[in-house]
């Protein structure tokens, strides 16, 4: 079985982006990943790529995704076109339940098995509120992305 890709989800917080990249570096080394995909809009993905100090792997930047559903739907073709059939998605702990639900629906429909890893980030009250609010639109966002692709 081939090495998994590591997919790192963007966030608006610079401190959390640093933690996500550090976790992705550890995972890439342990899994012997050959590809790391950074996904996020407004410069998040490029900033995470610039923070990378991990192994010498292909670094892919996906800069158009503004939602978690878009992170999944925009990165899956990048994996499929490279023949990658497994991915490890790296996110903040509060984001994990929603990311897991979204990525499984989108990735597995394209033949990409997906696992998840949490970065070492202490959840803030704002992160809790954000995730609770996002739950109300998650199913609609996934449906929209599945219909679009």
């Amino acid at each position: 079985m081939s090495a998994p890709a590591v997919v790192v989800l963007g966030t608006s917080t610079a401190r959390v982006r640093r933690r996500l990249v550090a976790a992705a570096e550890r995972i890439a080394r342990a899994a012997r990943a050959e590809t790391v995909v950074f996904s996020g809009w407004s410069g998040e993905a490029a900033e995470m790529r610039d923070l990378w100090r991990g192994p010498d792997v292909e670094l892919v930047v996906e800069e158009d995704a503004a939602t978690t559903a878009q992170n999944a739907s925009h990165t899956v073709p990048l994996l499929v076109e490279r023949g990658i059939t497994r991915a490890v998605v790296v996110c903040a702990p509060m984001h994990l339940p929603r990311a897991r639900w979204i990525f499984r629906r989108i990735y597995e429909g394209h033949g990409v098995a997906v696992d998840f890893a949490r970065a070492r980030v202490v959840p803030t009250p704002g992160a809790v509120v954000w995730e609770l609010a996002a739950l109300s639109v998650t199913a609609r966002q996934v449906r929209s992305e599945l219909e679009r692709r």
Side-chain angles (χ1 to χ4, degrees):
M1 192 176 267
S2 65
V6 177
V7 178
V8 189
L9 306 186
T11 179
S12 61
T13 308
R15 176 185 62 81
V16 176
R17 282 194 295 272
R18 287 191 299 274
R19 296 281 179 113
L20 291 169
V21 172
E25 290 169 353
R26 287 190 298 276
I27 293 161
R29 279 189 194 94
R32 295 190 169 134
E34 297 174 2
T35 304
V36 175
V37 180
F38 301 103
S39 180
W41 70 301
S42 190
E44 296 168 3
E47 181 184 329
M48 291 188 296
R49 179 208 48 221
D50 294 345
L51 291 169
W52 184 258
R53 301 294 177 264
D56 185 20
V57 298
E58 178 187 21
L59 300 178
V60 181
V61 175
E62 184 291 304
E63 298 183 282
D64 295 325
T67 68
T68 306
Q70 289 176 353
N71 290 135
S73 71
H74 293 192
T75 58
V76 75
L78 300 172
L79 303 180
V80 170
E81 72 188 23
R82 289 168 172 79
I84 297 170
T85 59
R86 294 186 309 140
V88 178
V89 174
V90 180
C91 63
M94 280 303 305
H95 193 46
L96 183 62
R98 195 164 55 88
R100 180 179 287 135
W101 189 85
I102 291 167
F103 273 80
R104 284 192 173 146
R105 273 149 189 78
I106 293 175
Y107 270 34
E108 291 178 358
H110 288 84
V112 178
V114 62
D115 290 311
F116 299 86
R118 295 175 292 212
R120 295 179 184 141
V121 178
V122 176
T124 64
V128 173
V129 170
W130 177 268
E131 288 301 322
L132 289 173
L135 285 173
S136 67
V137 297
T138 298
R140 182 170 35 92
Q141 289 175 340
V142 168
R143 253 189 327 275
S144 174
E145 291 303 310
L146 289 171
E147 289 169 359
R148 194 173 67 81
R149 295 271 169 194

